[in-house]
Amino acid sequence: MIRAGTRAGTLGGLANRWGFHAVLLALGALMLANLNWTLVRSFEFAFIWEYRIALINGFGITLLLTVEAGIVGILFGTLFAIGSQSPFAPLRWLVAAYVEVFRNTPLLVQLLWIHFALPLVTGINTTALVSGIIGIGLQAAAYYTEIMRAGIQAVPRGQIEAAQALGLPARTRWTRVVLPPAIRTVIPALLNQNISFFKATAIVGLGLLVDDFFNSALRVSNDTFHFIEPLTFAAAVYLVLGWQAGRWTLRLERRLTRGER
Amino acid sequence: MTETAQDSANGANGAKEGDPIVLCRDVVKRFGDFTALDAVSTEVRVGEVVCIVGPSGGGKSTFLRMINGLEGIDGGEIVVDGIHLPGGKKDIQNVRREVGMVFQSFNLFMHMSVRQNLILAPMTARGLGRKEADDRAERLLERVGIGDQIDKYPSQLSGGQQQRVAIARALAMEPRVMLFDEPTSALDPEMIKEVLDVMRELAESGMTMLVVTHEMGFAREVAGRVLFMADGQILVDAPPERFFSEAEDERQANFLSKIL
Ligand SMILES: Nc1ncnc2c1ncn2[C@@H]1O[C@H](COP(=O)(O)OP(=O)(O)OP(=O)(O)O)[C@@H](O)[C@H]1O
Ligand SMILES: [Mg+2]
C-alpha cells in the first residue's frame, strides 16, 4: 500500500521533471525564434558594476525587510496563533478578523494605506521605510498566524491532555509541550513563506519608493536610460536567491521528516 | 504529605488510610444530546484499588477523565480529597496535583528525553529544584525498572518501557490517586506483564488506584473492588471473588461470558 504509493509518487515526480524541462525548452525555443537580435546584441551589463554600492545598499534594505518579516511574523504569528486557540471567544474573533483583513487585501494597498492614510487618521507620520517595515510585518504576522495555527493543531491531543493531567501551568504547556513540536513541523512552511516575503519586498520598493534592491535597480535604469539590463539583472538575482533558498528549504524539510519519530 | 495549600475552604484535606478520597455523587456527563454518564455515584477510599470493566462505549474513560478535570461535569459533583468539582480553574489545578493519570497511548512528550519528561512537572508545577527533581526522576525510574534509560528519547524505547516511563512521570508529582485508562491495551503481549508488575507493586505500596482494564487476571488478583460500567452507569460494584463467580446483572453475565 505505502510502497505502491511511494513508487507512484516517484514516477509522478519523474514525469513532472520531464514535463518541467520540456516546457522550459519550448519556451526557450519560442523566445529565440522571436528575439530582436539587434537589440540583444546592443545589451551591455558592465555599467551595472558602477552602481554596485547603491545596489548593495538596496540589497541590504531588501534583506532587512525579509528578515524583519520573518522575525516579526513568527513572533506575532505565534502569539496570535495561541490567541486563536483561546477559550475566550472574542479573542478568537479578533485574531480571525486580523488574519482575514491582512491576508485578503493586497500588500500594495496596505502599504499605501499605512503610509498615506494612517497619518491623516492618527497624526503619526512615518518615513517610507518605517511604513514598509510596519506593513510587511503586519502582513507577515497574518500569514504566519495561519501557519502556526496549523502546526499547533497538528500536535496530538494526547500531548496536551498529558500536560493537563500533570497539572502543568498553561504557560509551560505552551512553551514546553505544544510549541516545540508545532514549530518543528512548520519550519519548512515558515521558510517558504519567508521566501515569498523576500520577493514581496519589491512591492515596498516600488510602492513607497524605499531604496530596496528593486528600486535601486530601477534607479540605475533611470540614470542610464538602459531599461532592460538592470531589470533583467534584478530578476536574475531574485530568481537565483529565491530558487536556492527553496532548494535549501526542501532539503531541510526532508531532513526534518526523516528524523521524525 | 503533599505541598498543596491546606487553608483554602476547597483545598486538599489530607485523607487518611481508609477515608474516602474520591467521592462521586450523581455525576452526569453529556455530549450534546447523548448522555455518556447517567448519575454515577461511588466512593473510593485511600489505599483502595478499584478496577473498572465493561463494554466499549460504556463511559469508563469518560468517568476517569472527569475525576481529574479533563472532562467537564454536567451534573452532580466529584470530591477529590476535599476539593469539589465542578469548580474554578484553581480547583481543577489542585485536583490535578492530587491525581496522576496514565493513558492507553502513553502520551510521553516525544521531543523530550525521559529525564526531561520526568522533571518538567515537578519543577514547573511543584516548584522543585533541579537537583531534587533529578533525584526523584532517577529514583522513580529505578522503581519501574528502567533506571538505565534516563537519557534516551521515548521513541528509542519499547512500548512497555514507554508506559513505565509514563507511570514514573505521573508518580513524580507525588499524587495521592492514580488513574489508569487501559494502560496495557496498546502493548504487545510480551510487554503487558512488565507494566502490570509495576502497577501491582504500586498497589502493594498503598497507592489509591482506579484502573480501567481488560486484564481480568489483574483485576482478580489486585483489585479490592470491581465496577462494571455499561450505558453510562455503574451496574455492578463487587469484590473480585464475587464479581467473577456470580453475575448479578444480565449484561455483566453477557460481558463475562465473552471475556473469560
Ligand atoms: N468528546 C466526545 N464527544 C462525543 N461523544 C463522546 C466523547 N467522548 C466520549 N463520547 C461518547 O461517550 C461514550 C462513552 O465513551 P468512553 O470513551 O467513556 O467509553 P469507554 O467505556 O471508555 O469505551 P472503550 O472501552 O471503547 O474505551 C461513547 O459512546 C462515546 O462515543
Ligand atoms: Mg475508553
Side-chain angles (χ1 to χ4, degrees), chain B:
Chain B
M1 228 3 269
T2 59
E3 291 111 62
T4 318
Q6 302 268 309
D7 43 1
S8 106
N10 195 11
N13 62 15
K16 305 284 182 309
E17 181 80 31
D19 290 350
I21 190 162
V22 178
L23 234 144
C24 304
R25 285 198 204 98
D26 297 323
V27 174
V28 175
K29 178 69 191 179
R30 293 191 196 90
F31 294 109
D33 293 337
F34 176 72
T35 304
L37 285 191
D38 189 5
V40 167
S41 297
T42 192
E43 183 180 298
V44 179
R45 295 174 178 280
V46 174
E48 250 190 320
V49 176
V50 176
C51 281
I52 305 171
V53 303
S56 180
K60 307 181 294 292
S61 299
T62 306
F63 178 54
L64 223 53
R65 292 160 56 82
M66 288 171 86
I67 295 174
N68 71 350
L70 283 183
E71 300 281 358
I73 300 174
D74 298 321
E77 70 169 348
I78 297 178
V79 188
V80 180
D81 202 12
I83 309 161
H84 291 250
L85 294 180
K89 264 203 183 112
K90 193 110 200 98
D91 299 319
I92 293 178
Q93 209 62 14
N94 285 337
V95 163
R96 286 176 180 163
R97 288 158 158 249
E98 302 284 308
V99 180
M101 183 153 189
V102 174
F103 301 86
Q104 178 176 348
S105 49
F106 328 140
N107 296 349
L108 292 177
F109 304 133
M110 301 306 279
H111 58 291
M112 294 182 198
S113 70
V114 168
R115 181 194 301 275
Q116 289 168 325
N117 265 280
L118 261 70
I119 66 177
L120 178 64
M123 288 181 68
T124 57
R126 281 270 199 227
L128 247 64
R130 176 67 201 245
K131 179 84 183 63
E132 250 179 308
D134 259 336
D135 289 348
R136 187 180 286 184
E138 283 159 24
R139 186 164 39 76
L140 284 167
L141 282 178
E142 276 316 321
R143 183 171 169 191
V144 300
I146 40 176
D148 50 342
Q149 313 284 352
I150 191 159
D151 289 314
K152 290 204 176 156
Y153 279 77
S155 56
Q156 298 171 292
L157 303 180
S158 73
Q161 290 173 324
Q162 288 193 44
Q163 191 61 298
R164 287 186 280 159
V165 172
I167 293 173
R169 178 177 68 175
L171 290 176
M173 285 295 282
E174 304 198 318
R176 303 211 61 203
V177 179
M178 284 284 282
L179 310 176
F180 295 83
D181 192 359
E182 301 197 27
T184 56
S185 295
L187 296 177
D188 292 337
E190 70 270 22
M191 293 168 188
I192 291 178
K193 185 173 174 299
E194 65 190 52
V195 171
L196 291 181
D197 284 346
V198 167
M199 291 169 63
R200 192 172 288 123
E201 186 271 327
L202 195 59
E204 280 159 10
S205 77
M207 177 62 76
T208 311
M209 294 164 57
L210 276 86
V211 186
V212 173
T213 186
H214 295 303
E215 295 295 327
M216 294 304 145
F218 178 84
R220 203 193 290 261
E221 273 176 62
V222 184
R225 277 159 63 204
V226 180
L227 308 186
F228 177 72
M229 275 190 95
D231 294 338
Q233 292 180 311
I234 297 176
L235 296 179
V236 181
D237 179 347
E241 313 80 66
R242 200 170 82 223
F243 184 89
F244 290 109
S245 58
E246 46 187 282
E248 51 189 277
D249 181 278
E250 193 187 327
R251 262 173 300 183
Q252 178 198 5
N254 195 342
F255 176 77
L256 288 177
S257 73
K258 270 186 216 146
I259 208 155
L260 290 179

Side-chain angles (χ1 to χ4, degrees), chain A residues 81-221:
Chain A
I82 292 173
S84 77
Q85 306 298 303
S86 165
F88 184 58
L91 185 59
R92 292 201 305 270
W93 299 333
L94 204 67
V95 171
Y98 175 83
V99 168
E100 294 309 329
V101 166
F102 280 90
R103 287 203 323 162
N104 291 308
T105 48
L107 180 59
L108 183 59
V109 176
Q110 289 169 23
L111 290 168
L112 295 180
W113 209 93
I114 289 164
H115 194 59
F116 297 109
L118 203 63
L120 301 178
V121 181
T122 63
I124 304 167
N125 278 298
T126 55
T127 65
L129 179 61
V130 170
S131 296
I133 286 175
I134 295 172
I136 212 157
L138 286 172
Q139 193 170 55
Y143 275 93
Y144 285 113
T145 298
E146 280 303 278
I147 295 175
M148 283 305 303
R149 194 177 55 79
I152 288 168
Q153 286 174 346
V155 174
R157 181 99 211 117
Q159 298 279 299
I160 299 160
E161 289 188 345
Q164 287 175 324
L166 283 167
L168 292 185
R171 194 197 163 92
T172 314
R173 225 153 60 210
W174 280 108
T175 57
R176 303 293 302 278
V177 176
V178 180
L179 289 179
I183 290 174
R184 189 189 153 98
T185 41
V186 299
I187 281 175
L190 293 173
L191 290 175
N192 279 326
Q193 188 61 57
N194 221 48
I195 295 171
S196 291
F197 279 114
F198 166 62
K199 291 176 287 176
T201 53
I203 300 173
V204 180
L206 189 63
L208 299 181
L209 302 181
V210 170
D211 278 330
D212 75 328
F213 180 65
F214 183 56
N215 208 35
S216 303
L218 287 183
R219 275 182 202 283
V220 178
S221 292

